[in-house]
Amino acid sequence: MSTQMLMHSKQPQVPFVDLAAQYRTIEREINEATSRVIQQTDFILGREVSLFEEEFAAFCEAKYTVGVDSGTSALELALRAFDIGPGDEVITAANSFIASALAISHVGADPRRCRPKHLHSGRVCYRESHYSSNQSGSSGAPLRPSR
């Protein structure tokens, strides 16, 4: 989106990320890697994933990394790493994407959806939100507003 278009727009718009510009800088590398994966039909847990895990671990100066299919899976793995499960309650933000509560439910714990009550002097006070955490257990049933 051009600056001129932004200036003549009735509602102010802020271009946060120019993905096309970012892609152009690494287009050849992305296309080659994508082509390799497709040609090798190496979509799940293949060589490219292993290479990525190794390179990312080195970048992060970590001993290991694990590639997963989604943010939900990443959150679930983190909860399992800390032995969170049935009988545990996990507090998550009420305005968070559903993946937060789903990951908690997948390990058998109870999500407690909370929202900020007020922000005062840099201190956030929380209270349970209008979403009831006991309406989504390990069954994966969606969270619904409590009545």
Side-chain angles (χ1 to χ4, degrees):
M1 182 176 293
S2 72
T3 307
Q4 251 182 352
M5 287 174 66
L6 289 175
M7 291 172 46
H8 298 297
S9 159
K10 293 187 185 224
Q11 291 188 2
Q13 296 180 4
V14 178
F16 291 106
V17 178
D18 187 349
L19 295 177
Q22 289 180 11
Y23 171 70
R24 282 190 299 273
T25 66
I26 57 173
E27 180 176 5
R28 185 180 57 77
E29 185 180 353
I30 294 285
N31 290 346
E32 287 173 3
T34 304
S35 179
R36 255 190 332 270
V37 169
I38 292 170
Q39 288 172 5
Q40 297 168 2
T41 63
D42 206 6
F43 305 112
I44 300 170
L45 300 175
R47 182 176 184 278
E48 295 292 328
V49 173
S50 295
L51 290 172
F52 171 77
E53 290 171 336
E54 291 170 15
E55 290 175 17
F56 194 65
F59 175 78
C60 294
E61 299 178 0
K63 195 169 184 177
Y64 305 103
T65 57
V66 177
V68 294
D69 66 325
S70 68
T72 306
S73 294
L75 291 169
E76 183 179 341
L77 280 178
L79 291 166
R80 290 186 188 283
F82 284 98
D83 213 16
I84 304 294
D88 292 323
E89 294 179 353
V90 179
I91 297 171
T92 187
N95 61 346
S96 174
F97 184 64
I98 190 68
S100 304
L102 290 177
I104 296 164
S105 294
H106 286 172
V107 299
D110 292 319
R112 294 288 177 195
R113 297 175 53 109
C114 295
R115 61 187 166 109
K117 186 176 180 183
H118 36 90
L119 183 63
H120 180 43
S121 306
R123 194 169 141 217
V124 178
C125 299
Y126 290 96
R127 67 179 175 147
E128 193 161 349
S129 78
H130 61 284
Y131 285 93
S132 174
S133 62
N134 63 3
Q135 291 178 334
S136 174
S138 58
S139 68
L143 294 171
R144 299 179 300 277
S146 57
R147 301 192 194 283

